[in-house]
Amino acid sequence: MKFLLTSAEEYETDNISKQLELYDFKVYNYKIHNGKELEDALRSGIKYDLLYLSAHGNEDGFTNEVVDYTSTWRDFGEHIYNSFCLAEENILLLSCCRGGLNKVAYEMFYICDQIEYICGPRISLDSSQMLIGFNIFLFNKEYQGIDPVVATEKILNATDIRFKCFDRIETVTETGYQLHVQMIEKIPVDFNQDGNLDGIIVMEKDKDGLIYSEEDAKEQSTKGNQN
């Protein structure tokens, strides 16, 4: 999923696509310009083993080149959860600066319990550095059959660039995770208005520990669908 439109990003994602095809993956490339296109890509009916996100990023979220579309990690987690688009043993590859920070993984894991692994850089990198990092990861994970966490450690050994892979089972037991998610709440929502709670909205508690109501959550959902 490409949120940037630069030539460097095209080279990076084309290279990653060809590498995955070499490993017998069927690859789907999406250029994403807004939230509607992101939702359409995730709701295509395909179950993805890997989601590769190429964008500008930081600890709060990601954006495209001209900064006319921005998503928080919480919003991204909601989109993934509500689309049911992930296969078992899936991995999110976050090719954006700071995509490998604990805060990013904590929020994504809490919001979407379908995500198994998250891998990304802990520092700011350019496309060349992103490319070599994920090349090494994919070679070790998909060709060599190495555990994703160990495959990520190979990047540091080869390049001195810090990437990190978070394993859901390990991460959700950490004290830092437990403390971070205390200020977030998932509220079930009936998106289709058929009497079934078929999705979630993520709300943040206020300073007094109160949570916004489901009515507020539905209003946010309606606004989100109009973006």
Side-chain angles (χ1 to χ4, degrees), residues 28 30 41-49 83-87:
Y28 300 86
Y30 301 98
L42 296 177
R43 292 181 178 270
S44 64
I46 300 167
K47 293 288 187 180
Y48 299 106
D49 298 289
S83 64
F84 299 98
C85 66
L86 297 178

Side-chain angles (χ1 to χ4, degrees), residues 103-208:
K103 178 179 182 290
V104 175
Y106 290 166
E107 295 192 357
M108 295 290 288
F109 281 145
Y110 176 72
I111 293 165
C112 183
D113 56 11
Q114 304 157 17
I115 301 171
E116 297 293 341
Y117 296 93
I118 296 174
C119 178
R122 296 180 70 80
I123 58 176
S124 298
L125 302 176
D126 60 27
S127 289
S128 297
Q129 294 168 311
M130 293 285 192
L131 174 58
I132 192 63
F134 284 115
N135 281 158
I136 293 168
F137 173 84
L138 291 171
F139 171 76
N140 283 282
K141 170 61 177 66
E142 302 301 338
Y143 187 78
Q144 299 284 70
I146 295 175
D147 174 86
V149 175
V150 179
T152 306
E153 294 171 356
K154 301 288 187 180
I155 302 172
L156 180 62
N157 295 337
T159 66
D160 292 332
I161 298 173
R162 291 190 303 149
F163 280 64
K164 183 167 182 177
C165 182
F166 298 87
D167 181 333
R168 157 179 287 284
I169 295 175
E170 296 176 351
T171 303
V172 298
T173 64
E174 296 177 2
T175 302
Y177 172 86
Q178 298 294 334
L179 292 173
H180 185 80
V181 301
Q182 285 180 7
M183 295 307 298
I184 310 170
E185 186 70 15
K186 294 185 293 186
I187 299 178
V189 175
D190 179 4
F191 282 112
N192 298 327
Q193 298 183 342
D194 60 359
N196 297 314
L197 299 175
D198 50 13
I200 61 166
I201 287 293
V202 180
M203 310 299 293
E204 186 168 358
K205 298 179 183 179
D206 65 21
K207 294 181 180 179
D208 297 322

Side-chain angles (χ1 to χ4, degrees), residues 9-20 131 135:
E9 182 233 6
E10 292 286 356
Y11 298 148
E12 173 198 340
T13 51
D14 286 350
N15 181 293
I16 293 294
S17 295
K18 293 302 181 184
Q19 183 182 12
L20 287 170
L131 174 58
N135 281 158

